[in-house]
Amino acid sequence: MDYRNNNQQAWNHLADNGSLFARVATDEECRQPLRTLDGRGWLPASVAGLNVLCLASGGGWQAILYACAGANVTVVDLSESMLKLDNQEAKRRGLKIQTVHTSMDDLSMLGDESFDIVHQPVSTCYVPSLKPVYAEVSRVVRDHGIYISQHKQPVSLQISHRNERHQFVIGVEYYQEGPLPKQQDTSYREKGATEYLHRMEEIVGGLCVSGFVIEDLREPKRADYNVEVSHFGYRGRFVPPYVRMKARRVARKTSDSTQESAGFKIWIPGSPGL
Ligand SMILES: C[S@@+](CC[C@H](N)C(=O)[O-])C[C@H]1O[C@@H](n2cnc3c(N)ncnc32)[C@H](O)[C@@H]1O
């Protein structure tokens, strides 16, 4: 079974069985949607009227919050059960959203340059290659549009188990090809899903060569100093599970051979050098 079929089934099962990731936005979160979505101040002061693509983010959280903030929301997901939560929640709250059932590496039904913001929670681990995902996002986002994405860090996916001293053992090779093997340590892995390790050069470098400049990069801290060793917060003291980036689409067309971005002149290949 290929990664799409397998992950569709796995996520349908997770959604139907109350996964933490299938938790819909609460009334309190909906009262302050932008603050809930954006602890870092990466979003504009208002998203009202903007076209937002919530990519691989079914489950009734991101899409509902953006819609509460007045955005025109399209949510893409591979799992019908996750999308059902978005539709149910939108109906219950009297919001209008569009749901699209597809894989993040095939957005062919979405038009070029049609979104101001693309927001993608942790999900690139479910596809074998990041290249087509970044290419599709680069195509559908407008010039100067924002792409916020979060990814599993490769080092976290390399942990195979703990030894008798509760030390974390790297048992998966960095240059692992193909689906990740099953491991004893199942923290930050979803049951039944087919997952892939993407190296930092693919996650960060791949974004830079797909038409984006990175404006900020964070490693959400999951360390907890008040928990038992068995808790994932203990693991978080040693290994960062995620990396989150704010990137901006470089303008496609320019009046001359250079363009301004983040205060720097960028050289366009094929044009005279700076
Ligand atoms: C960790 S959940 C993220 C959604 C959640 N709302 C959140 O708050 O983080 C990952 C999502 O990716 C979706 N997914 C997995 N593989 C996918 C693919 N190839 N294309 C699109 N979505 C996919 C899953 O169905 C799931 O909804």
Side-chain angles (χ1 to χ4, degrees):
M1 192 185 290
D2 72 12
Y3 67 96
R4 288 185 185 171
N5 287 331
N6 189 61
N7 286 335
Q8 182 179 2
Q9 284 187 20
W11 273 100
N12 281 344
H13 185 79
L14 286 163
D16 296 340
N17 290 278
S19 158
L20 265 184
F21 293 107
R23 187 185 67 77
V24 301
T26 63
D27 291 344
E28 198 182 333
E29 289 171 332
C30 287
R31 273 193 284 277
Q32 299 204 335
L34 289 189
R35 187 178 287 191
T36 306
L37 277 164
D38 181 30
R40 298 281 167 206
W42 285 357
L43 291 171
S46 167
V47 297
L50 298 185
N51 291 350
V52 175
L53 173 61
C54 295
L55 184 57
S57 60
W61 201 77
Q62 286 87 356
I64 295 302
L65 290 169
Y66 274 108
C68 283
N72 307 314
V73 177
T74 302
V75 51
V76 157
D77 206 282
L78 188 63
S79 155
E80 308 92 317
S81 298
M82 290 295 268
L83 290 175
K84 196 168 139 194
L85 288 167
D86 291 286
N87 279 324
Q88 273 174 0
E89 213 36 37
K91 193 169 171 200
R92 192 176 77 78
R93 291 184 181 277
L95 300 166
K96 223 176 124 204
I97 61 168
Q98 191 197 357
T99 53
V100 180
H101 183 219
T102 187
S103 182
M104 65 183 97
D105 45 10
D106 175 12
L107 305 179
S108 49
M109 66 298 294
L110 303 178
D112 295 355
E113 302 179 44
S114 45
F115 295 97
D116 303 288
I117 298 171
V118 178
H119 189 130
Q120 179 169 24
V122 177
S123 52
T124 49
C125 51
Y126 305 116
V127 292
S129 172
L130 267 173
K131 271 188 188 167
V133 181
Y134 282 165
E136 282 291 67
V137 175
S138 181
R139 180 181 66 77
V140 301
V141 77
R142 291 188 178 131
D143 287 356
H144 308 297
I146 299 172
Y147 177 28
I148 294 174
S149 62
Q150 184 159 317
H151 310 261
K152 291 190 182 178
Q153 289 222 14
V155 67
S156 179
L157 293 172
Q158 285 182 270
I159 307 289
S160 51
H161 64 285
R162 297 171 184 224
N163 67 15
E164 61 294 342
R165 291 163 62 199
H166 284 289
Q167 292 169 319
F168 298 93
V169 178
I170 290 189
V172 176
E173 293 189 23
Y174 193 58
Y175 297 94
Q176 157 77 21
E177 294 286 345
L180 283 163
K182 277 208 169 79
Q183 300 299 340
Q184 232 179 61
D185 183 307
T186 54
S187 333
Y188 300 100
R189 298 281 300 273
E190 279 70 50
K191 204 166 175 248
T194 301
E195 292 188 64
Y196 300 85
L197 178 153
H198 301 302
R199 297 189 298 278
M200 289 309 273
E201 64 182 359
E202 296 167 307
I203 296 173
V204 181
L207 191 53
C208 298
V209 296
S210 300
F212 292 93
V213 286
I214 295 170
E215 295 189 347
D216 200 358
L217 183 152
R218 316 292 304 203
E219 293 177 292
K221 191 173 176 183
R222 293 291 184 267
D224 192 333
Y225 295 87
N226 302 308
V227 290
E228 297 290 313
V229 288
S230 58
H231 194 271
F232 65 83
Y234 178 78
R235 187 189 197 268
R237 288 166 56 178
F238 299 88
V239 188
Y242 303 122
V243 59
R244 186 183 297 164
M245 292 179 289
K246 177 193 180 188
R248 194 176 292 278
R249 183 67 169 90
V250 172
R252 290 158 176 85
K253 297 180 197 80
T254 51
S255 50
D256 62 12
S257 61
T258 60
Q259 51 199 19
E260 297 277 356
S261 181
F264 294 95
K265 290 263 185 200
I266 295 178
W267 178 66
I268 308 295
S271 67
L274 290 175

